Amino acid sequence: MKVESAQEVEARNFIPVVKRHPRVIVEGRGARLRDADGREIIDLMAGWAVCCLGHSHPALVEAIAEQAGRLMQTTNIFYTLPQLELIERLAELSDGALPRSFLTSSGTEAMEGAVKLAHRATGRAKFVSTQNSFHGRSLGALRLVGSEKHRAPFAALLPESCVVPYDDLDAAREAVDADTAAFVVEPVQGEGGVNVPSPGYLAGLREICDARGALLIADEIQTGIGRTGTPLGYQYEDVAPDVATLGKGLGGGFPVAGFVCSDAVAETVQLGDHGTTYGGNPLACAAANAVLRVVREEKLAERAGRVGDELLRRLAGFAAEHPDRCVEARGRGLLVGLELRDPELAASIGPRALEKGVAVNVAAGRVVRFIPALNIPEEDLHEGVDRVLALVAA
Ligand SMILES: Cc1ncc(COP(=O)(O)O)c(C=O)c1O
């Protein structure tokens, strides 16, 4: 299909809330996409940090095909083998700190569940979150979002929010009070521009929450499943949250997400407090089980840490050589950003990179964000990065 035909269908039949690139993508293999005109694209976006095993990984394709031919949907009132396997695997991710889980179909729904859980566990209704954070677009998730761009148009539908600067323990200490149900934080902010907090930030938040009887919720939707070099993103510090939300990489491209919590929190809910038709269905769980198996067997979290460190060093070197163009490089694992000085240059990078055969996106208006598959071949990664950096330097 030609792009013009796609645009005609879109103009007639799509609700115009998305600005698209003029490409029809028809296939993905490993870290490469192919469009309808046969052009190959090195994928440094991985479906927004989703396709952690690359595109069409045989283990994931096989698991989905096998389960699709066996059983796709039952509702949560039956046990199914894939879901039982998955909730055991999810407990292992946190080394047992967060042994209970509930499955959903998107990250946003996982955030909704976490909000309800925190309300049940504390009886409180105030949530504190961080500036420039992103937690999803449903009303329960949007109330937490610290990015004005996303929240402001729907402010009339939302309860008053309490948003504090990221990586600021004094501000958190002031905001978290006896009415606070939870502090919600991304271990590394993704959409907010790849912001990495100072060492001790999560431990400080843990202490503040404990002192006020509030929960600590880690939004691991972008940082989890190995992306930042550990199974879950909070694990670079020696603390655990009470609740963590998962999504994106969990299904490697299949829509599956969920929230996990401690025994103490799980014990506060009542039968019927939450539910879903699709969440935790056997097909989604089979996909997630395949992803978690491959991530573990192929040590992809460790690899993301190692390859991400090299990428970060390389981008930091580039930023130092081009101080007129770049502010800095920052990141953890394979969630890495290069902040540019000029928002216009930043805005041009996505479309121009695509012309050079690379898919890359820009977060928070200025930060070129690298979130490839955790198993991306290093040649593909560096070839893609070469092409992007050439555009920044030009
Ligand atoms: C940190 C974080 N939380 C929540 C979400 C929302 O997830 P979803 O788009 O699957 O609903 C996102 C999506 O980008 C995210 O990055």
Side-chain angles (χ1 to χ4, degrees):
M1 178 186 253
K2 291 277 165 231
V3 169
E4 294 71 27
S5 315
Q7 287 168 335
E8 275 171 33
V9 175
E10 177 182 52
R12 265 199 318 273
N13 300 125
F14 189 65
I15 297 172
V17 290
V18 182
K19 185 165 186 296
R20 297 184 203 260
H21 289 299
R23 293 291 179 99
V24 181
I25 303 297
V26 292
E27 200 174 67
R29 289 270 180 277
R32 292 187 179 236
L33 297 166
R34 197 165 57 76
D35 75 9
D37 295 323
R39 289 175 290 196
E40 247 196 7
I41 300 163
I42 298 177
D43 188 5
L44 303 183
M45 279 174 63
W48 282 336
V50 166
C51 306
C52 57
L53 305 184
H55 298 281
S56 307
H57 190 289
L60 182 54
V61 172
E62 196 188 315
I64 292 171
E66 201 276 333
Q67 188 61 45
R70 185 182 296 273
L71 178 69
M72 283 198 228
Q73 165 72 4
T74 56
T75 81
N76 275 309
I77 63 166
F78 294 104
Y79 296 105
T80 68
L81 299 180
Q83 188 182 114
L84 292 168
E85 180 181 335
L86 181 55
I87 61 178
E88 288 193 316
R89 284 182 181 276
L90 291 179
E92 286 166 13
L93 290 182
S94 61
D95 291 325
L98 306 170
R100 308 288 199 103
S101 59
F102 189 85
L103 296 153
T104 65
S105 306
S106 69
T108 297
E109 287 168 76
M111 292 310 300
E112 294 283 329
V115 164
K116 287 173 71 177
L117 209 51
H119 177 58
R120 260 294 185 236
T122 61
R124 306 173 185 178
K126 173 179 166 184
F127 287 82
V128 183
S129 55
T130 60
Q131 277 170 9
N132 302 317
S133 62
F134 186 73
H135 301 291
R137 293 166 182 270
S138 64
L139 298 181
L142 207 49
R143 66 179 283 168
L144 307 171
V145 165
S147 144
E148 275 301 301
K149 176 180 94 175
H150 294 104
R151 199 188 53 215
F154 300 100
L157 301 177
L158 303 170
E160 204 179 317
S161 63
C162 180
V163 175
V164 297
Y166 190 63
D167 197 23
D168 183 337
L169 286 175
D170 290 335
R173 198 168 290 112
E174 198 151 308
V176 175
D177 58 19
D179 295 328
T180 304
F183 191 100
V184 182
V185 68
E186 292 161 83
V188 174
Q189 282 189 340
E191 304 305 306
V194 191
N195 300 313
V196 182
S198 316
Y201 181 54
L202 291 186
L205 291 178
R206 178 73 277 173
E207 241 177 74
I208 291 166
C209 290
D210 286 346
R212 311 294 202 289
L215 302 191
L216 180 60
I217 299 179
D219 180 341
E220 294 276 357
I221 290 163
Q222 190 157 150
T223 50
I225 320 299
R227 176 145 302 274
T228 48
T230 43
L232 299 175
Y234 74 79
Q235 288 162 330
Y236 64 90
E237 281 194 31
D238 194 18
V239 289
D242 303 286
V243 180
T245 51
L246 301 168
K248 291 193 184 275
L250 181 59
F254 197 92
V256 49
F259 49 105
V260 298
C261 70
S262 64
D263 281 323
V265 170
E267 277 152 21
T268 65
V269 304
Q270 316 219 330
L271 279 179
D273 269 355
H274 204 55
T276 166
T277 298
Y278 293 122
N281 92 6
L283 188 57
C285 292
N289 286 326
V291 168
L292 294 177
R293 196 180 69 241
V294 174
V295 168
R296 193 166 67 185
E297 284 173 6
E298 299 185 5
K299 298 192 174 10
L300 293 184
E302 294 86 333
R303 182 182 194 273
R306 179 174 58 73
V307 174
D309 280 351
E310 282 163 28
L311 174 60
L312 183 57
R313 265 197 300 280
R314 187 174 167 202
L315 294 177
F318 177 87
E321 280 164 25
H322 297 85
D324 53 323
R325 298 282 162 106
C326 305
V327 179
E328 63 170 359
R330 52 182 183 257
R332 179 170 289 135
L334 279 173
L335 171 54
V336 183
L338 176 66
E339 182 174 350
L340 305 186
R341 293 198 184 279
D342 177 5
E344 271 178 42
L345 173 63
S348 76
I349 294 295
R352 284 163 66 219
L354 206 47
E355 287 307 307
K356 302 284 179 200
V358 183
V360 70
N361 91 319
V362 168
R366 278 173 200 258
V367 182
V368 183
R369 182 173 49 164
F370 301 92
I371 40 175
L374 305 184
N375 61 358
I376 184 171
E378 286 176 71
E379 316 80 79
D380 283 355
L381 176 63
H382 290 290
E383 191 180 330
V385 171
D386 282 344
R387 294 185 204 171
V388 173
L389 294 185
L391 294 172
V392 175

